[in-house]
Amino acid sequence: DYFWLLDPTLSAERWIRILQARGIAGIVLVGLMDTNHLPVHLKPVWARFPCVVTGVRTRDPALSFCSVDHHHLALTAFEQALALGYRRPGFVLDEVIDALVERRFSAGYFAGQRMLPRSQPIPPFCNMAGTQPSELFRAWLDRYRPDVIFTLYNNVLGWLKAAGRRVPDDVGVIQLEWRAAHPEIAGMNQHNRVTGEAAVDMLVSQIHNNENGVQQFPRATLIGASWVEGASVRRATTTVPEPA
């Protein structure tokens, strides 16, 4: 059964009555894209039923969760860029999204930067929701001149075109979430279906072990992402630099 978490007509008491009437033994929470804090008024629901969150780690309450390993994903993408010969990787990501995953995306990027000479770090571009983000992006692009960009967003390709950059001739693009709808863009396949399957396995385990309510020690299952080749990157001819 599917329910909208933010349905204004459902109080905690009504949630519990509906779930019990339908014989529902546990809950998988999907699609938290703006916050990792769950509605306070639904606290009795989490106290009554086994719950697993997909995609992010929640706060208040902290529930067991399953997601892609965002840190390892970003670091692997960085390593792939270095293997292709890129030397000035840039990072474009909404501040809200990075904060939602406890900055594990940017942490992987910064870890990758340690493999480059210290004179070459490029600060992330995070002003995706600001006024005229494409113009701010162009100023960032002109100032730091990355030769490859990690991002979650297809609109970055349009921004690059508007800035007169050709992909991959002038700058490469690597998606931090590869999508089958755009197979030409290289990136990291997050295997979201596997994450969903693992979340269900976690929930079934809680149900079988009578682990109701918010757990004292929430568990985390991290799914590994995998690299997917694409025409948005090129094999550069420069030598990969040694760590500084």
Side-chain angles (χ1 to χ4, degrees), residues 88-163:
R88 293 188 58 78
F91 182 81
V92 176
L93 186 69
D94 193 313
E95 176 77 10
V96 173
I97 297 298
D98 197 33
L100 188 64
V101 298
E102 298 171 316
R103 309 198 185 283
R104 291 194 291 275
F105 273 133
S106 58
Y109 171 70
F110 288 130
Q113 282 191 340
R114 295 176 67 89
M115 294 183 281
L116 291 170
R118 296 177 183 176
S119 61
Q120 294 186 191
I122 297 177
F125 177 82
C126 300
N127 201 352
M128 303 294 293
T131 304
Q132 296 181 322
S134 61
E135 293 301 317
L136 295 173
F137 170 78
R138 183 167 187 168
W140 173 84
L141 191 68
D142 289 340
R143 178 175 180 180
Y144 295 106
R145 297 192 173 279
D147 57 5
V148 64
I149 291 174
F150 309 119
T151 186
L152 281 173
Y153 316 106
N154 291 330
N155 59 354
V156 170
L157 293 167
W159 293 354
L160 287 169
K161 184 178 180 179

Side-chain angles (χ1 to χ4, degrees), residues 1-235:
D1 290 19
Y2 295 87
F3 301 91
W4 180 32
L5 179 64
L6 302 180
D7 189 333
T9 67
L10 294 182
S11 64
E13 293 73 20
R14 191 177 177 199
W15 268 90
I16 292 171
R17 288 198 303 270
I18 292 174
L19 296 173
Q20 289 178 330
R22 299 190 185 186
I24 295 173
I27 300 169
V28 176
L29 294 172
V30 181
L32 297 176
M33 295 299 295
D34 299 314
T35 179
N36 54 8
H37 292 263
L38 298 174
V40 175
H41 72 280
L42 296 182
K43 185 176 180 180
V45 178
W46 324 131
R48 182 73 64 90
F49 293 90
C51 299
V52 174
V53 183
T54 63
V56 302
R57 185 199 307 264
T58 57
R59 305 284 186 89
D60 299 325
L63 300 175
S64 293
F65 76 100
C66 181
S67 76
V68 69
D69 188 339
H70 300 94
H71 180 277
H72 182 261
L73 178 157
L75 180 57
T76 300
F78 203 107
E79 291 170 344
Q80 288 290 341
L82 294 185
L84 290 170
Y86 290 106
R87 300 186 62 172
R88 293 188 58 78
F91 182 81
V92 176
L93 186 69
D94 193 313
E95 176 77 10
V96 173
I97 297 298
D98 197 33
L100 188 64
V101 298
E102 298 171 316
R103 309 198 185 283
R104 291 194 291 275
F105 273 133
S106 58
Y109 171 70
F110 288 130
Q113 282 191 340
R114 295 176 67 89
M115 294 183 281
L116 291 170
R118 296 177 183 176
S119 61
Q120 294 186 191
I122 297 177
F125 177 82
C126 300
N127 201 352
M128 303 294 293
T131 304
Q132 296 181 322
S134 61
E135 293 301 317
L136 295 173
F137 170 78
R138 183 167 187 168
W140 173 84
L141 191 68
D142 289 340
R143 178 175 180 180
Y144 295 106
R145 297 192 173 279
D147 57 5
V148 64
I149 291 174
F150 309 119
T151 186
L152 281 173
Y153 316 106
N154 291 330
N155 59 354
V156 170
L157 293 167
W159 293 354
L160 287 169
K161 184 178 180 179
R165 294 335 194 258
R166 298 168 300 167
V167 176
D169 303 272
D170 300 322
V171 59
V173 174
I174 294 176
Q175 281 274 14
L176 296 178
E177 183 174 7
W178 180 85
R179 299 173 178 89
H182 293 279
E184 74 281 4
I185 306 175
M188 301 299 298
N189 189 337
Q190 295 192 14
H191 303 295
N192 293 322
R193 291 181 64 87
V194 178
T195 298
E197 292 167 358
V200 172
D201 287 342
M202 293 174 68
L203 184 63
V204 170
S205 175
Q206 288 185 20
I207 293 171
H208 285 175
N209 291 304
N210 295 314
E211 296 175 350
N212 296 337
V214 178
Q215 297 176 324
Q216 182 180 4
F217 304 106
R219 297 172 185 170
T221 297
L222 300 179
I223 305 300
S226 56
W227 170 254
V228 181
E229 298 282 353
S232 63
V233 293
R234 58 177 172 80
R235 183 167 295 278

